[in-house]
Structure formats: C-alpha cells, structure tokens
Amino acid sequence: MTPQHHLRGVLLASVACILWGISGVAASTLFGLNPHVTALWLTQVRMITAGIILLVLGQVIGVKPFEIWRQKATGLRVISYGLLGLVPVQLCYFEAVKFGNAPIATIIQFLGPFIISIYFLLFKHVTPTRPEAGGMLLAFVGTLLIVTHGHLNSLAISPVVLFWGGLSAIGVATNTLLPRPLLPKFGAVSVTGWGLLVAGICLNIFGPVWQDHITLTWAGWSMIGIIIIFGTVIPFLMFAHALAYILPTTASLLDAFEPLSATVFSVMFLSVQLTKYDLIGGTLVILAVMALSLNGHQMLRLIRRFRTKVD
C-alpha cells in the first residue's frame, strides 16, 4: 500500500463522514422549513430512495444483489439488519434532530461504539481493556456535561432528545454487528441497499408515506436531495471504497469528522447556540471514541469471534 493510496483512503473516509454530518444539518433545516415533515416520513423517503439507487447501482456494476435472497438465513439477517440496525440509526437520529439539534443528536449517536463494548462485557463476558475503560469514563463525563450543563439536579436538554439519541446510539451498535456475516459474500452495496429498502418499506406500517400530503418548496426538496444523495448514497460509497486503502481502525478515528461537521455547519448556517458545556462534553465524547478506536484491533477480533458463533 503506497502513501498515495493511504492518503486517498483517508480523504475518502473524511469527506464521507463530513457529508454524514451535513445530512443531519440538512434534516434540521428541513424540519425548520416545514413543520409538517416528520422524522418518520423523511426516514421512509430517504431509505426507500437510497436503497433503490444502491441496488440499481449494484446490478449495473455486477454484484448480483438478488443473490442474497436465495437462502432463508441470509434473507432473515437482511431483514433484521434493516429493522434493528438501520431503523434506529436513522429514524431515531432524525427524531433527536427534530426535537433538539444536529450537533447534540450526532454526539449522542456517536456513543454507539461503547454500546458494543458494553454488549461484549455483559453477554460475552469480555472485560474492557484500559483504553476502553478510560474511553468509557471520558464518554460518561462528556455526556453528563451535555445533558446537565454541570447541574446534576436538572437536565439541560429535553428528555425526548436524550431518549431518541440513546436509541440511535444503540442503533449504531446493531447496525455494526448485524450485517457483518453478510458483507464478505454479498458486498456492502447489496447488503446496505436491501437493508435500506426493507426498512423503508416496513416503516409504512406505522404511516404510509403516500398518505402524507406534504407540500415542499424547492428549498425543501433540495434538502431532501442533499440527505439522500450527499448524505446517504455518496458517503456510503466513498466510505466503503476508503476501506480498500485504510484500516477499519483508521476509518473509525475519522468518524470524528461527523459530529464536528454537524457542529460547525449548524453554528455557521443555522445559528445554533452551543454552550461551553456542550463543546467540552462533545470534545470528550469524540476523544473517548478515538481512544476506543486506537484499540480497535481487539474490537475487530471480538466482532469476528461473535460472527463465527452466529454462523
């Protein structure tokens, strides 16, 4: 691997994470433009459209996306990935954005890797290493500062935001673990495409997307386009391509660009006011995840061991 290839991978992953952060800002802008737009409706539109685009692209490049349905076990795992992984990581995130703002929602969601560590501790009886334990402590302190602003007897953010943000963080964990057995055989494009499409279709049980007669201006449709194309399809493809040049541990470190970009663009374009507690807490959470990622080789071994037991 040449230095040029490594640089290419770093740039691809960094831009992908920045675009994911911008998608949260675009969603916050859309909710402000039209209060009739719900997180459910936006998630349905995003998932179904992005899922179709990825599957069509997969067919064009020859990855044979329909192969995944030839076996009952792989089909069921795709469904579980869509419902238990992608739904909380996207729907719950948009709910947190709608009731709060993009920076806080993204920082809370960024706690997802620690949910994975807690899962291995409780159910696989794997004791956290010192970097993981230190990261958990940093994350706890950072989250506490964001939630309380230093006043332990009161909440500084709405409990609704904390609820949806917490569910989205759990979604990051399930979104990481559930599709891994499928990726080596079927590829990221097919797995993610089907997961998005299945999840988007199933969400219609709670409210058919065609029944919401939402009128949008060109600005509103522009935000939806940004969320689907620049906040879903393009960054996913860029991040998947980046993994061919850099290690997953390096990519995990670059995930820090997502909450950073969400914060910067929210302050610049939405005039979101963040307190010193939000900034300090968010910085601690980002540093905590970086500490965990630096010990990522062990985390990868744990995930591979988990995948072997599932198979």
Side-chain angles (χ1 to χ4, degrees):
M1 187 70 66
T2 65
Q4 290 80 5
H5 285 155
H6 184 268
L7 178 61
R8 182 185 302 174
V10 169
L11 290 175
L12 286 171
S14 300
V15 174
C17 293
I18 290 172
L19 291 176
W20 276 321
I22 291 175
S23 72
V25 179
S28 184
T29 302
L30 179 62
F31 293 140
L33 289 172
N34 191 332
H36 298 292
V37 174
T38 65
L40 176 62
W41 183 85
L42 179 57
T43 304
Q44 290 169 320
V45 172
R46 178 192 196 183
M47 284 183 160
I48 293 173
T49 307
I52 292 174
I53 292 173
L54 287 173
L55 291 174
V56 170
L57 179 62
Q59 187 67 34
V60 170
I61 64 179
V63 298
K64 299 180 180 179
F66 289 94
E67 290 291 322
I68 204 169
W69 297 104
R70 291 187 178 274
Q71 298 179 14
K72 181 179 178 181
T74 57
L76 290 175
R77 181 164 283 271
V78 168
I79 295 172
S80 64
Y81 164 53
L83 298 182
L84 301 178
L86 289 170
V87 167
V89 85
Q90 296 198 23
L91 174 60
C92 297
Y93 171 72
F94 280 154
E95 291 283 9
V97 170
K98 186 175 179 66
F99 287 103
N101 58 57
I104 298 301
T106 307
I107 290 170
I108 295 176
Q109 187 187 59
F110 204 57
L111 295 169
F114 295 99
I115 305 297
I116 298 176
S117 296
I118 293 171
Y119 166 82
F120 280 111
L121 174 63
L122 295 179
F123 297 100
K124 301 299 177 182
H125 307 294
V126 177
T127 304
T129 62
R130 288 184 178 179
E132 291 171 348
M136 288 182 183
L137 180 60
L138 275 179
F140 174 77
V141 174
T143 305
L144 194 66
L145 283 175
I146 294 172
V147 171
T148 66
H149 283 185
H151 302 286
L152 299 181
N153 59 343
S154 63
L155 292 178
I157 65 174
S158 168
V160 177
V161 176
L162 188 59
F163 172 76
W164 288 115
L167 287 182
S168 72
I170 295 174
V172 169
T174 53
N175 187 58
T176 300
L177 296 173
L178 286 173
R180 284 191 174 271
L182 302 173
L183 295 175
K185 183 176 181 180
F186 301 105
V189 174
S190 293
V191 173
T192 305
W194 281 118
L196 286 168
L197 186 59
V198 167
I201 292 173
C202 289
L203 282 177
N204 283 277
I205 297 174
F206 302 99
V209 67
W210 58 85
Q211 287 188 0
D212 291 327
H213 302 291
I214 295 176
T215 303
L216 293 172
T217 63
W218 67 269
W221 285 114
S222 297
M223 291 302 105
I224 291 178
I226 290 173
I227 292 167
I228 293 173
I229 302 300
F230 295 98
T232 308
V233 176
I234 290 178
F236 160 74
L237 294 174
M238 292 178 70
F239 199 82
H241 189 56
L243 292 177
Y245 301 107
I246 59 177
L247 294 172
T249 49
T250 304
S252 297
L253 290 173
L254 297 173
D255 279 344
F257 278 108
E258 183 176 351
L260 287 175
S261 66
T263 300
V264 170
F265 286 105
S266 292
V267 172
M268 288 176 59
F269 297 108
L270 301 181
S271 300
V272 171
Q273 300 294 322
L274 298 176
T275 70
K276 63 179 181 180
Y277 296 104
D278 296 325
L279 296 175
I280 295 172
T283 301
L284 290 178
V285 170
I286 292 171
L287 291 175
V289 174
M290 292 178 69
L292 179 63
S293 300
L294 287 172
N295 199 43
H297 290 295
Q298 180 175 0
M299 179 61 67
L300 288 175
R301 287 197 298 270
L302 293 174
I303 292 176
R304 290 193 188 104
R305 190 191 313 167
F306 171 76
R307 184 177 65 189
T308 302
K309 290 182 179 181
V310 171
D311 292 344

